[in-house]
């Protein structure tokens, strides 16, 4: 009889860690297609949001647009007892910095921080872009509605703030409007620098760029698939000797496809599969589309995890185009082409990923691995304050996803009996009392 409580405990912990969090379903349901529609319309109706466009008018240009975005965050904050810290972050970019900066310009980002209750200096960030462009990247006066590129990402960040501000989270969540994207990723650079200077501990950046088009230029219509771009490894290391040492370690121990941005991509993938099984997340193992860029890159450049979330099928006749009709084709990034049920889904993907990460304890540090010429793999990590336990993950070396796991409690090292180190990749995540998990950490030291 005296074993019954122990058995009960084991069963209980098994149950509580295979369950999903009902709050996450509420968050998905709360994302409003209607509000996204209204906000994309409002943003498109500023005529142009080109980075170099007018800043004085209250109805046209990027100045009006960013003031409106800030006012939205301010209103959201009023509704949650001032739960958001809202401000402009700006940097002067001088004429001639590149060919697309044809005059001095203040690149202004809009920042809204929902402060974490337990880890105020840890940040999960959702970004969209404020600015738009037409065919000529220096044309700052022509109509440039930028409805899909990227009013959708911007509206998504505002809507995520509306939904998540109804809750409290352990880590901070940042809703971010970045500018200067089309001119050379200037807003992201400024914000990444700001985060570094202020010693932000960034869990990850979810950069949303074009999350509203379901009809590809190739004719494919798909309202379920979306792409998650992540670079293989992320580092801010510049010392050639250290870089060589890191490359050598990857050669012998692995890690070529296991950088911090890749782990973040896998987290988005898993969270979507768990809570939104109707969606088809597609991880793409590259920084961005072939030869093209986005605002997650400046964060990667300084060593932060960051990924791009976007539609699976792009339509180039509706991207960076002067509004016109040619050979029966209506060119231009206009409001009518945006699919709002899809935009709502992708906004929800962001919201649930941020809710999960901001509810989870910090990821374990100093994850070590051993088991060379042994029958079992051994993992070891630093204790994480606030973690109920840890999940050791492993996968076939050819698998993109963490397919196997083992939950452990009250230990900071563990041997996986009979799991041969040579045949798998391994990682460790922290698990909170509430069941939410951190991103998986790939081992960075070897246990001899
Ligand atoms: Zn663009």
């Amino acid at each position: 009889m005296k074993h019954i409580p122990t058995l009960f405990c084991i069963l209980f912990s098994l149950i509580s860690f295979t369950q999903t969090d009902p709050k996450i379903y509420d968050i998905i349901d709360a994302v409003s297609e209607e509000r996204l529609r209204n906000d994309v319309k409002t943003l498109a109706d500023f005529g142009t949001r080109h980075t170099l466009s007018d800043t004085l008018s209250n109805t046209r240009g990027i100045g009006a647009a960013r003031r409106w975005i800030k006012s939205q965050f301010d209103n959201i904050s009023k509704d949650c007892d001032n739960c958001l810290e809202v401000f402009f972050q700006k940097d002067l970019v001088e004429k001639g910095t590149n060919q697309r900066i044809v005059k001095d310009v203040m690149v202004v980002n809009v920042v809204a921080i929902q402060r974490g209750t337990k880890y105020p200096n840890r940040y999960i960030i959702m970004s969209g872009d404020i600015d738009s462009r037409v065919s000529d990247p220096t044309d700052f006066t022509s109509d440039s509605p930028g409805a899909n590129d990227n009013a959708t990402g911007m509206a998504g960040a505002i809507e995520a703030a509306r939904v998540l501000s109804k809750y409290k989270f352990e880590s901070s969540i940042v809703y971010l409007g970045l500018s200067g994207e089309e001119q050379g990723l200037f807003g992201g650079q400024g914000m990444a620098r700001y985060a570094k200077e202020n010693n932000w501990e960034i869990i990850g950046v979810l950069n949303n760029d074009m999350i509203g088009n379901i009809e590809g230029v190739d004719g494919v219509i798909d309202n379920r698939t979306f792409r998650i771009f992540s670079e293989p490894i992320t580092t801010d290391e510049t010392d050639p000797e250290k870089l060589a040492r890191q490359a050598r370690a990857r050669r012998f121990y692995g890690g070529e496809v296991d950088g911090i941005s890749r782990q973040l991509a896998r987290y988005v993938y898993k969270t979507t599969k768990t809570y939104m099984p109707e969606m088809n997340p597609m991880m793409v193992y590259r920084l961005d589309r072939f030869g093209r860029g986005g605002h997650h890159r400046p964060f990667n450049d300084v060593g932060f995890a960051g990924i791009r979330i976007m539609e699976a099928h792009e339509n180039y006749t509706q991207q960076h185009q002067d509004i016109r009709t040619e050979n029966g084709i209506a060119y231009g990034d206009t409001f009518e082409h945006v699919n709002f049920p899809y935009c709502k889904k992708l906004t929800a993907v962001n919201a649930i990923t941020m809710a999960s990460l901001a509810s989870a304890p910090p990821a374990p540090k100093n994850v070590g691995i051993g088991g060379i010429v042994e029958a079992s793999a051994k993992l070891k990590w630093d204790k994480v304050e606030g973690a109920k336990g840890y999940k050791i993950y492993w996968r076939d070396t050819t698998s993109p996803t963490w397919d196997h796991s083992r939950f452990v409690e009250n230990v900071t090292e563990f041997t996986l009996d009979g799991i041969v180190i040579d045949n798998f990749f391994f990682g460790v995540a922290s698990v909170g009392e509430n069941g939410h998990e951190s991103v998986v950490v790939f081992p960075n030291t070897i246990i001899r």
Side-chain angles (χ1 to χ4, degrees):
M1 278 305 278
K2 72 177 187 204
H3 293 297
I4 286 172
T6 324
L7 188 67
F8 179 78
C9 274
I10 292 168
L11 276 175
F12 182 79
S13 57
L14 278 176
I15 291 163
S16 62
F17 289 99
T18 49
Q19 253 179 1
T20 46
D21 180 352
K23 172 181 78 191
I24 301 293
Y25 293 107
D26 296 340
I27 289 170
I28 296 170
D29 291 343
V31 176
S32 160
E33 186 187 319
E34 202 49 43
R35 289 189 299 244
L36 287 164
R37 187 186 302 273
N38 292 340
D39 290 354
V40 169
K41 181 87 173 68
T42 302
L43 286 163
D45 285 348
F46 285 112
T48 174
R49 302 185 311 279
H50 192 285
T51 299
L52 305 173
S53 63
D54 183 80
T55 58
L56 300 175
S57 163
N58 275 326
T59 53
R60 188 179 175 86
I62 193 158
R66 68 196 177 215
R67 288 191 293 277
W68 178 81
I69 292 164
K70 184 172 180 292
S71 76
Q72 293 306 297
F73 286 135
D74 285 333
N75 290 343
I76 295 165
S77 191
K78 265 182 222 135
D79 285 347
C80 61
D81 207 11
N82 299 316
C83 76
L84 299 182
E85 296 157 33
V86 186
F87 60 95
F88 289 128
Q89 185 276 325
K90 47 189 148 185
D91 288 291
L92 177 71
V93 179
E94 281 173 14
K95 175 182 172 174
T97 301
N98 69 26
Q99 287 179 343
R100 292 184 181 187
I101 303 289
V102 294
K103 58 177 182 178
D104 286 359
V105 63
M106 198 57 93
V107 170
V108 182
N109 300 318
V110 188
V111 189
I113 302 173
Q114 183 177 347
R115 195 59 70 181
T117 53
K118 193 168 173 186
Y119 309 106
N121 197 43
R122 301 181 74 234
Y123 301 85
I124 174 78
I125 300 174
M126 175 179 182
S127 64
D129 299 310
I130 304 171
D131 62 307
S132 64
R133 60 165 281 198
V134 287
S135 302
D136 172 0
T138 63
D139 175 355
F140 54 84
T141 53
S142 296
D143 274 350
S144 177
N148 188 43
D149 182 11
N150 186 12
T152 55
M154 188 65 249
I158 297 170
E159 178 62 8
R162 287 195 192 101
V163 172
L164 296 182
S165 59
K166 302 282 182 263
Y167 301 85
K168 293 249 182 280
F169 297 98
E170 293 187 353
S171 292
S172 297
I173 299 178
V174 183
Y175 312 96
L176 186 58
L178 295 171
S179 188
E181 198 267 347
E182 308 288 5
Q183 307 314 109
L185 309 177
F186 289 103
Q189 278 167 34
M191 196 59 212
R193 195 183 323 114
Y194 177 91
K196 272 268 167 194
E197 283 166 5
N198 288 279
N199 298 312
W200 283 19
E201 197 186 318
I202 292 187
I203 302 165
V205 177
L206 310 177
N207 178 44
N208 287 258
D209 197 346
M210 294 189 266
I211 58 169
N213 182 61
I214 62 164
E215 193 170 345
V217 77
D218 53 4
V220 176
I221 299 175
D222 179 351
N223 65 354
R224 288 294 180 257
T225 309
F226 68 94
R227 292 181 287 182
I228 311 163
F229 289 93
S230 63
E231 66 177 355
I233 50 170
T234 302
T235 181
D236 58 348
E237 187 54 66
T238 50
D239 179 352
E241 253 173 62
K242 282 191 189 152
L243 282 169
R245 217 178 307 144
Q246 288 173 358
R248 197 162 54 239
R250 279 195 298 278
R251 197 169 179 209
F252 289 101
Y253 309 122
E256 309 93 320
V257 291
D258 277 277
I260 52 175
S261 295
R262 186 62 48 76
Q263 306 306 349
L264 180 62
R266 292 191 179 110
Y267 195 96
V268 175
Y269 179 94
K270 185 182 82 164
T271 307
T272 307
K273 283 286 195 185
T274 303
Y275 290 100
M276 300 175 70
E278 75 280 17
M279 296 305 284
N280 178 22
M282 174 185 175
M283 280 194 284
V284 185
Y285 272 28
R286 61 187 346 154
L287 170 65
D288 207 316
R289 294 125 337 131
F290 189 90
R292 290 190 287 164
H295 250 152
H296 51 309
R297 175 154 65 88
F299 291 92
N300 294 160
D301 287 342
V302 295
F304 293 129
I307 58 168
R308 177 185 188 131
I309 292 175
M310 83 175 295
E311 64 211 24
H313 301 278
E314 289 179 67
N315 195 324
Y316 310 113
T317 61
Q318 295 158 19
Q319 210 179 93
H320 304 170
Q321 294 283 355
D322 290 338
I323 299 172
R324 66 195 192 279
T325 302
E326 230 174 73
N327 303 322
I329 298 167
Y331 287 85
D333 188 357
T334 53
F335 175 75
E336 307 78 65
H337 297 302
V338 178
N339 183 283
F340 288 97
Y342 181 72
C343 185
K344 171 188 151 100
K345 292 279 188 192
L346 266 54
T347 300
V349 165
N350 282 270
I352 65 173
T353 300
M354 293 197 290
S356 301
L357 278 171
S359 303
K365 287 200 173 89
N366 298 317
V367 176
I369 188 165
I372 298 172
V373 296
E374 284 173 31
S376 307
K378 182 180 181 181
L379 286 115
K380 202 178 159 189
W381 56 91
D382 292 355
K383 182 179 163 64
V384 176
E385 233 28 85
K388 157 144 180 91
Y390 307 89
K391 249 186 185 175
I392 301 171
Y393 280 96
W394 67 101
R395 65 177 208 268
D396 286 0
T397 59
T398 50
S399 172
T401 47
W402 292 111
D403 304 313
H404 316 287
S405 68
R406 167 82 192 248
F407 177 71
V408 297
E409 264 175 306
N410 307 320
V411 292
T412 55
E413 60 175 88
F414 194 79
T415 300
L416 292 165
D417 264 337
I419 305 295
V420 176
I421 194 170
D422 307 325
N423 302 344
F424 304 95
F425 289 140
F426 301 83
V428 184
S430 311
V431 185
E433 289 285 350
N434 53 23
H436 286 288
E437 292 180 30
S438 72
V439 285
V440 175
V441 178
F442 195 81
N444 51 11
T445 52
I446 305 300
I447 312 169
R448 297 278 174 197

